[in-house]
Amino acid sequence: MTDQVRFAPFRKIEDFIGKAENYAVPNLNDMIRVNNRIEQNLLYYQTNYLVCFLTIFLLMSIIHPVPIFSGIFVVIGLFIVANILSNKSPEIQRFKKERPFLNLIIVVCISGFFFNLFGFLLTFIFSICLPLSLILMHAALRLRNLNNKIENKKELLGLTKSPMGILLEFLDFLVNEKLKE
């Protein structure tokens, strides 16, 4: 086992995009298989997805620079103010430890209020949601190949660690709990 985190290699465009026969609509009646396909594709194509996300976000930033950068500054500012306030108040520190998700929801709602106040909410959220939705759509529709399966087994066995693997491991309890219901 290795503790070193490595990015997966950038997959060739022919492998990433492929041909029409490399795509299929998943069977939505079997959500465990759909989840597995998405998870495996997110692991295998993670570097390609990161490049796609950054490219689309950069294009949106070029097209709408003021709303995007204003949104970034508002979010960063709110997190800094929240962090300063929480460090000065033991009640807020206790609240953050006992209810971290509620704390995140409060920060997101306050940032939404400020975005709405400045009119930048939709542009900033769209610039984040568009690439994420395209990535999830590709991950759900793209069929896995043999190399994909081999690389994912290495990640599963702990022979390699990647940023996407760590993120999926962190989010796994949420996904699997929802699928069990």
Side-chain angles (χ1 to χ4, degrees):
M1 282 222 265
T2 181
D3 291 335
Q4 189 177 11
V5 178
R6 296 183 187 174
F7 273 97
F10 188 80
R11 308 296 175 188
K12 294 178 185 174
I13 296 297
E14 297 82 27
D15 181 26
F16 182 60
I17 296 174
K19 299 177 182 143
E21 58 264 10
N22 293 337
Y23 295 89
V25 176
N27 180 3
L28 298 178
N29 294 328
D30 189 0
M31 288 307 292
I32 293 174
R33 287 191 70 174
V34 173
N35 178 52
N36 187 42
R37 181 193 288 185
I38 291 171
E39 185 175 324
Q40 300 305 314
N41 282 330
L42 286 173
L43 285 170
Y44 187 68
Y45 296 114
Q46 64 185 287
T47 306
N48 296 64
Y49 290 145
L50 178 65
V51 169
C52 288
F53 180 87
L54 293 175
T55 303
I56 293 170
F57 188 79
L58 181 67
L59 286 173
M60 291 294 293
S61 298
I62 291 170
I63 294 169
H64 304 286
V66 174
I68 299 297
F69 290 111
S70 298
I72 290 170
F73 288 131
V74 168
V75 168
I76 291 172
L78 283 173
F79 276 107
I80 289 172
V81 168
N83 196 19
I84 290 171
L85 289 176
S86 69
N87 288 337
K88 289 187 176 185
S89 172
E91 294 87 21
I92 294 177
Q93 285 179 345
R94 189 176 64 247
F95 177 78
K96 281 175 63 175
K97 285 183 182 177
E98 292 174 359
R99 296 182 179 92
F101 291 116
L102 185 58
N103 180 54
L104 180 65
I105 290 171
I106 290 170
V107 170
V108 168
C109 288
I110 291 172
S111 62
F113 170 74
F114 281 108
F115 281 136
N116 213 3
L117 187 68
F118 295 118
F120 301 136
L121 177 65
L122 291 178
T123 305
F124 182 71
I125 289 178
F126 182 74
S127 69
I128 301 246
C129 291
L130 176 66
L132 288 179
S133 58
L134 291 175
I135 288 167
L136 287 175
M137 199 166 36
H138 180 273
L141 297 175
R142 181 73 165 95
L143 295 172
R144 294 169 48 207
N145 58 28
L146 183 60
N147 287 338
N148 184 325
K149 293 177 183 181
I150 292 170
E151 289 297 319
N152 289 329
K153 292 300 176 196
K154 287 182 188 177
E155 176 92 24
L156 198 66
L157 293 172
L159 299 175
T160 60
K161 273 277 194 219
S162 65
M164 183 65 76
I166 293 169
L167 177 66
L168 290 175
E169 191 175 305
F170 174 74
L171 297 175
D172 195 33
F173 73 94
L174 294 174
V175 174
N176 285 335
E177 291 303 316
K178 290 290 183 190
L179 288 175
K180 290 177 185 173
E181 293 175 357

